[in-house]
């Protein structure tokens, strides 16, 4: 039985958050009267939207393996684990691997990838629930990872475990969990969400009441209510003057100030969670969320630089050592997020092509086209009126 089989066991269950739950206590704590942990936190709409945004975006981005030689990078053979992390599970693909890694980072602040090697080659890579992993130090100072499951526990070295922290500081090996660190903020957001649900579920506050001097039977009360409704409900009858007899009086009921502030508190929760995860509010469908940016492209660029790009760099650097070679690395195609239209893509390629930055085959590869036959796409172009300053060729053009 392999190390992965011994750790995962036969009681593997799918859990929220994009990883495998191994069936131990989730932890968490109370904040604002609500128990907050990684499972309950995902019930907060804004937090789920942030985590889903990062995980889906990273998982949807193309990635590749490269080597850098002489300051120039070129692609290398793509390791199988990037597309089939778990060969025995055909449903566990590269998208799922990237999604699980990112969701673990967003919720726990740590991603742990257990790897199985055949020599220097990685043949299997599986994301482990971070809550099941304890980091220890060996006598030589190297990290050890103790993984606890329903089958028991096992300790592995950093050769078998890739650890990617989202936010680590000082001598701490484990990264901060956004959910645990911001438990009070998330607890208030969750409590407000639950309060709003109970307000509409159990609220028995009518818009108005009609008072009478005497006692009414149930049938008389129903008749009075329906009679009043027939005369004053609906667009055509609204604002008509009501006439009440027999000492009856009409009293409208206004909402409490605390109930009106509930909406503001819910908005504050969305804004706070967006700040925690560095997500522009317009990406959370928040009204007026991109008011500080001149265009959607500028807002996306800001999120790419300050929010998404650091996550991509951490994942790239963490997984780079799974590819044999000293100068090999993994890279995401982050530029795909900034492609607004096909016309702009072609115009950008034309500029690069006409100035000799890329050749035809390289331009065609960017738009998923096959190279030209017989090496016709390997030539580099440049404008005829451009040459080396002071050269005979350049001086000759100047006299033409």
């Amino acid at each position: 039985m392999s190390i992965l089989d011994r750790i995962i066991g036969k009681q593997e269950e799918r859990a929220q958050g994009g990883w495998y739950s191994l069936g131990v206590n989730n932890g968490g704590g109370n904040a604002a009267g609500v128990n907050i942990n990684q499972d309950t936190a995902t019930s907060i709409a804004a937090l789920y939207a942030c985590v889903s945004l990062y995980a889906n975006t990273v998982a949807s981005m193309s990635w590749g393996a490269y080597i850098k030689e002489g300051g120039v990078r070129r692609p290398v053979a793509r390791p199988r684990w990037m597309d089939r992390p778990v060969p025995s599970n055909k449903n566990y693909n590269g998208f799922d691997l990237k999604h699980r890694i990112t969701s673990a980072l967003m919720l726990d602040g740590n991603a742990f990838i257990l790897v199985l090697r055949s020599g220097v080659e990685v043949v299997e890579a599986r994301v482990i629930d971070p809550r099941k992993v304890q980091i220890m130090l060996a006598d030589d100072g190297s990290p050890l990872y103790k993984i606890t499951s329903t089958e028991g526990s096992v300790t592995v070295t950093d050769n078998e475990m890739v650890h990617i922290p989202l936010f680590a500081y000082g001598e701490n090996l484990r990264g901060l969990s956004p959910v645990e660190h911001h438990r009070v903020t998330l607890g208030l957001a969750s409590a407000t969400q639950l309060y709003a649900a109970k307000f509409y579920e159990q609220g028995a506050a009518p818009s108005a009441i009609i008072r009478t001097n005497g006692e009414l039977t149930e049938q008389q009360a129903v008749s009075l209510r329906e009679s009043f409704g027939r005369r004053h409900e609906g667009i055509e009858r609204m604002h008509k003057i009501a006439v009440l007899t027999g000492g009856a009086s009409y009293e409208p009921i206004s909402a409490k100030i605390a109930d009106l502030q509930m909406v503001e508190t819910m908005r504050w929760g969305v804004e706070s969670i967006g700040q925690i995860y560095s997500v522009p509010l317009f990406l959370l469908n928040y009204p007026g969320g991109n008011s500080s940016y001149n265009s959607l492209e500028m807002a996306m660029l800001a999120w790419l630089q300050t929010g998404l790009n650091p996550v991509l760099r951490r994942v790239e650097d963490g997984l780079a050592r799974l590819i044999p070679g000293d100068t090999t690395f993994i890279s995401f195609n982050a530029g795909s997020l900034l492609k607004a239209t096909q016309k702009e893509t072609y115009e950008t390629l034309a500029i690069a092509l006409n100035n000799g930055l890329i050749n035809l085959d390289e331009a065609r590869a960017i738009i998923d086209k096959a190279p030209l036959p017989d090496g016709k796409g390997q030539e580099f172009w440049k404008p005829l009126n451009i040459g080396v300053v002071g050269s005979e060729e350049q001086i000759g053009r100047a006299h033409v």
Side-chain angles (χ1 to χ4, degrees), residues 63-79 81-82 312-313 315-333:
W63 61 345
Y66 302 89
I67 187 171
K68 203 163 191 176
E69 296 177 330
V72 179
R73 80 171 192 176
R74 60 178 181 83
V76 296
R78 188 184 184 93
W81 63 264
M82 293 180 67
L312 296 176
R313 297 289 84 79
V315 175
E316 290 173 349
D317 292 345
L319 298 178
R321 64 186 180 91
L322 299 185
I323 303 179
D326 295 332
T327 59
T328 55
F329 60 96
I330 289 176
S331 179
F332 286 92
N333 182 18

Side-chain angles (χ1 to χ4, degrees), residues 125-328:
R126 188 189 297 257
V127 180
I128 301 297
D129 188 335
R131 296 167 292 184
K132 315 315 184 262
V133 182
Q134 179 184 359
I135 306 177
M136 303 176 294
L137 289 178
D139 294 336
D140 60 357
S142 60
L144 298 174
Y145 303 92
K146 182 180 180 181
I147 309 171
T148 303
S149 73
T150 54
E151 300 291 321
S153 63
V154 64
T155 301
V156 299
T157 67
D158 56 358
N159 189 52
E160 300 163 306
M161 180 74 79
V162 175
H163 174 213
I164 306 174
L166 180 65
F167 185 92
Y169 66 97
E171 298 180 356
N172 297 295
L173 297 178
R174 195 177 187 97
L176 285 176
S177 168
V179 172
E180 298 294 329
H181 197 62
H182 298 281
R183 185 184 300 158
V184 174
T185 301
L186 299 179
L188 180 57
S190 179
T192 305
Q193 185 172 279
L194 292 174
Y195 176 82
K198 292 297 181 181
F199 176 81
Y200 289 105
E201 177 185 355
Q202 300 179 352
S207 59
I209 60 174
I210 298 177
R211 294 184 182 274
T212 61
N213 292 331
E215 294 289 336
L216 298 179
T217 64
E218 181 179 355
Q219 183 177 359
Q220 290 174 332
V222 171
S223 177
L224 176 60
R225 182 184 61 194
E226 293 179 350
S227 175
F228 189 86
R230 286 195 301 268
R231 288 178 171 84
H232 300 283
E233 289 179 355
I235 299 296
E236 297 179 355
R237 292 179 291 274
M238 64 187 304
H239 302 302
K240 292 180 65 176
I241 298 176
V243 178
L244 299 176
T245 61
S249 62
Y250 178 86
E251 297 181 9
I253 299 177
S254 59
K256 298 178 181 179
I257 297 299
D259 294 335
L260 296 177
Q261 290 178 338
M262 176 184 64
V263 177
E264 295 298 326
T265 306
M266 295 180 69
R267 291 179 177 175
W268 173 87
V270 175
E271 294 173 357
S272 298
I273 293 173
Q275 291 174 345
I276 292 173
Y277 285 99
S278 299
V279 174
L281 294 179
F282 81 94
L283 290 176
L284 302 178
N285 295 323
Y286 188 86
N290 62 334
S291 58
S292 60
Y293 299 98
N294 294 327
S295 65
L296 180 62
E297 184 178 3
M298 292 301 297
M300 286 295 295
L301 181 61
W303 179 57
L304 176 61
Q305 293 176 341
T306 62
L308 185 62
N309 191 60
V311 176
L312 296 176
R313 297 289 84 79
R314 285 192 173 276
V315 175
E316 290 173 349
D317 292 345
L319 298 178
R321 64 186 180 91
L322 299 185
I323 303 179
D326 295 332
T327 59
T328 55

Side-chain angles (χ1 to χ4, degrees), residues 354-355 380-388 393-394 396-398 400:
N354 293 332
N355 287 277
F380 289 86
W381 301 347
K382 69 175 181 180
L384 295 177
N385 62 339
I386 295 179
V388 179
E393 181 181 4
Q394 194 266 349
R397 290 198 187 99
V400 175

Side-chain angles (χ1 to χ4, degrees), residues 51-64 78 82-83 93-103 300 303-304 308 311-312 315-316 331-339 368:
V51 175
S52 178
L53 175 66
Y54 275 101
N56 289 334
T57 302
V58 174
S60 301
M61 294 174 64
S62 61
W63 61 345
R78 188 184 184 93
M82 293 180 67
D83 299 309
N93 50 39
F95 182 97
D96 203 32
L97 176 67
K98 291 179 284 185
H99 195 281
R100 291 168 182 264
I101 292 175
T102 310
S103 60
M300 286 295 295
W303 179 57
L304 176 61
L308 185 62
V311 176
L312 296 176
V315 175
E316 290 173 349
S331 179
F332 286 92
N333 182 18
S336 60
L337 296 179
L338 300 179
K339 293 180 180 179
D368 298 324

